[in-house]
Amino acid sequence: MNIVILSRNANLYSTQRLIEEGENRGHEMEVIDPLKCDLIIEKEKPTIYYKDRYLDYVDAIIPRIGASVTFFGCAVVRQFEMMNVFTSVTSDAIIRSRDKLRSFQRLSKAGIGMPKTVFTNYSRDIEKVLSHVRGAPVIIKLLEGTQGLGVVLAETKSAAESVLEAFNGLQARALVQEFIEEAKGADIRVLVVDGHVVGAMKRQGKEGEFRSNLHRGGTAEIIKLNETEIKVAMKAARALKLPVCGVDMLQSSRGPLLLEVNSTPGLEGIETATGKNIAKSIITYIERNRR
């Protein structure tokens, strides 16, 4: 098969691993920058022009679309879908997962446990907002934030009021979420491929840091999930219709609580921590479904 990875950086670990595993299985692998694609929209003949050629030979794509280019990146994925090219993750699923409020609403309806969350339309009654999540400390998250950016721990009521007033003043929409103290700055990242858990790691934030993101200095180790955690991960992937995704959750006194579902999860941390060949699982998933 001719498999295209939609990525702006061909040197990233995840991109390189997907190329390596695809080539090992006899596929032609190519990296294409989605922002350099021209979308040609014509009756019954949608096409994509890239540099000096039409991309009419592609059998499957693997979107590695960064959050900052979601709009145009998903337009490119959608164009490939119109050309009947198989994609490991659909454009609609990426958009759905990138909208934190929309995804939380869907996950809540699916009966998945999560930290209690409040969203208001720039409410000035901040004290009431905080009371909905049992008061400070609270986590405040920008709707558009990624990789731990735009996430603030407000340890006191006055700190929460200051942050929310600042966000409101900037007309930046934010979620207010209860702080799960017993998680102790750690979370679980679970990789789901085609409805199956293929790897899981526990990430621990560095000293004094409540965010566990590895690129912010966190560490990771392999973890054995219990049955409930496995069910939550698979249920979340189904609820957002993401055949390939990273599911983040906290271990709490009331069971696993879902934090986020990532439609383009990085592979370096979890492959290093678990020793699992996640890239191969993704290529195998494409092979099964493309046929």
Side-chain angles (χ1 to χ4, degrees), residues 28 32-33 47 76 102 128 142 156 198 224 240 275:
E28 293 292 328
I32 285 177
D33 183 346
T47 54
V76 174
R102 183 181 177 188
K128 188 66 175 177
L142 286 176
T156 64
V198 295
K224 182 176 177 59
L240 297 183

Side-chain angles (χ1 to χ4, degrees), residues 65-85:
I65 306 294
S68 62
V69 297
T70 297
F71 176 79
F72 193 79
C74 285
V76 174
V77 176
R78 193 179 306 114
Q79 189 81 351
F80 274 114
E81 291 168 352
M82 292 167 60
M83 295 162 59
N84 295 317
V85 174

Side-chain angles (χ1 to χ4, degrees), residues 96 106-107 110 112 234-242:
R96 194 183 299 121
R106 290 181 67 98
L107 293 165
I112 296 170
M234 295 192 298
K235 195 172 184 179
R238 286 197 303 270
L240 297 183
K241 298 182 180 179
L242 286 167

Side-chain angles (χ1 to χ4, degrees), residues 23-39:
E23 290 179 344
N24 285 345
R25 297 181 69 84
H27 303 298
E28 293 292 328
M29 304 296 294
E30 182 180 5
V31 179
I32 285 177
D33 183 346
L35 296 193
K36 294 181 180 178
C37 291
D38 294 330
L39 311 183

Side-chain angles (χ1 to χ4, degrees), residues 121-140:
N121 190 38
Y122 308 126
S123 172
R124 294 186 179 181
D125 191 354
I126 294 175
E127 187 170 345
K128 188 66 175 177
V129 172
L130 296 178
S131 71
H132 288 313
V133 291
R134 304 181 180 92
V138 295
I139 301 293
I140 302 172

Side-chain angles (χ1 to χ4, degrees), residues 225-290:
L225 302 178
N226 61 40
E227 187 176 339
T228 304
E229 290 162 346
I230 292 171
K231 286 181 178 178
V232 167
M234 295 192 298
K235 195 172 184 179
R238 286 197 303 270
L240 297 183
K241 298 182 180 179
L242 286 167
V244 178
C245 62
V247 180
D248 297 341
M249 63 182 85
L250 296 175
Q251 293 177 309
S252 80
S253 57
R254 59 183 191 264
L257 299 177
L258 191 136
L259 283 178
E260 188 176 10
V261 183
N262 191 321
S263 56
T264 53
L267 304 183
E268 183 172 10
I270 196 153
E271 284 198 338
T272 302
T274 66
K276 300 286 185 65
N277 192 335
I278 309 296
K280 181 180 178 181
S281 297
I282 295 172
I283 297 297
T284 303
Y285 159 68
I286 292 172
E287 291 172 343
R288 283 198 304 266
N289 288 272
R290 178 62 182 83

Side-chain angles (χ1 to χ4, degrees), residues 15-28:
T15 304
Q16 285 295 312
R17 285 288 296 120
L18 289 165
I19 292 171
E20 180 183 357
E21 290 303 324
E23 290 179 344
N24 285 345
R25 297 181 69 84
H27 303 298
E28 293 292 328

